[in-house]
Amino acid sequence: MDTEGRFAEKTTLHIRSLSATSPAMRAMYDYDPEHENIPADTERDLLLEKVAPPVFGVVRKFDGRLLVLLSYTCAAHCRYCERQDRVGVGLDRRGRLTTGQLDDVIDYIRSDESITEVIASGGDPLTHPRGLEYLFGALREVEHVKVLRIHTRFPLQTPRQVDVDLMGRLATCKTTVFLSLHVDQPDELTPEVVDLIGRFRGQGYILISQSVFLKGVNDDVETLATLFGELFFLGVRPYYIYHCQRIETTARFEMEFDDEIKIMSTLRERLSGLAYPQHVLDLPGARGKVVVPSEHWDFDHSRTRDFDGRELSTDTWQVTTAGEQQP
Ligand code: SF4
């Protein structure tokens, strides 16, 4: 079919080989024409990431932290991607940040001493290795930047294409460099991936993971207990598990919020605290990730408040009351 303007199917040899035996891998990567035969809405700005950036290619939502969207390309396309309005379509046509655009980003970081943490994201920053090394090399000299972070799914999607030497150089750009791996299913932790994780540890990275609750992929206690337990044993600290963002093409993956809370409550009783991630809502149209309490607390699941004090319904994800005026 013609997938022009759509978030097209894209996989790797590694994913295709796992998909032969793993229904979860197929659910994560197989294009589903029944639900996805819709052009991507490139105007959508679910997480306020397109609001007038100070320079092209960055997102500035919080003091102290800067997200750099180095590349709008990924090794493969996850069907539940919340950035599918940019990855593979829309902004992806502009590809990776050019050296000139990176110079603007670096100048911006240099000029703002409040920026202490820089997060390389995308798309996937490992699809732009030269740009990543250029950015991190420049930030090595910027005293006020204390922490660098790389957020990637590339090693899970095509482990043999990871440039291990480059990863070693990036790990030494600052004293503290975090490597955040996006992992959703134990089937992704193949021997090749486990080997890579061991190498990353040896290179000095602080390893964390991020996951998304996905119907048909990891929607039960046993799957997630296995995933978080294995990551923990490998030296990867599970950091966040998100509620899947609600957009038309990803609706089939969205779990009942109450089911997620039940699963997390059971996991809290089973897992070591170090293997237990924060369950978070990245609130649509709002600022900030809010942490969801477990059932060990009595609370009203139907409403939450964003960082600006506005109340949102967890049924519709719409703002229901205005918040406090921010200073
Ligand atoms: S790797 Fe991340 S940005 Fe790329 S398609 Fe998957 S979820 Fe989206």
Side-chain angles (χ1 to χ4, degrees), residues 7 29 72-84 87 121-124 152-154 157 182 184 212:
F7 184 53
Y29 286 106
Y72 295 100
T73 305
C74 295
H77 289 168
C78 316
R79 305 320 306 166
Y80 47 87
C81 178
E82 70 190 22
R83 290 186 180 145
Q84 57 180 260
V87 174
S121 183
D124 201 308
T152 180
R153 191 154 162 66
F154 192 96
Q157 294 175 330
H182 175 173
D184 295 313
V212 188

Side-chain angles (χ1 to χ4, degrees), residues 213 221 256-269 276-277 279 291-302:
F213 265 115
V221 168
E256 290 296 326
F257 185 45
D258 284 353
D259 290 342
E260 294 180 2
I261 293 169
K262 276 194 188 72
I263 290 171
M264 291 307 289
S265 302
T266 307
L267 290 175
R268 182 68 285 256
E269 292 162 16
Y276 184 80
H279 180 200
V291 179
V292 182
S294 69
E295 280 184 329
H296 304 96
W297 295 89
D298 288 327
F299 73 102
D300 178 357
H301 300 186
S302 67

Side-chain angles (χ1 to χ4, degrees), residues 221-232:
V221 168
E222 291 312 320
T223 302
L224 288 175
T226 304
L227 177 66
F228 298 141
E230 286 188 16
L231 287 167
F232 171 52

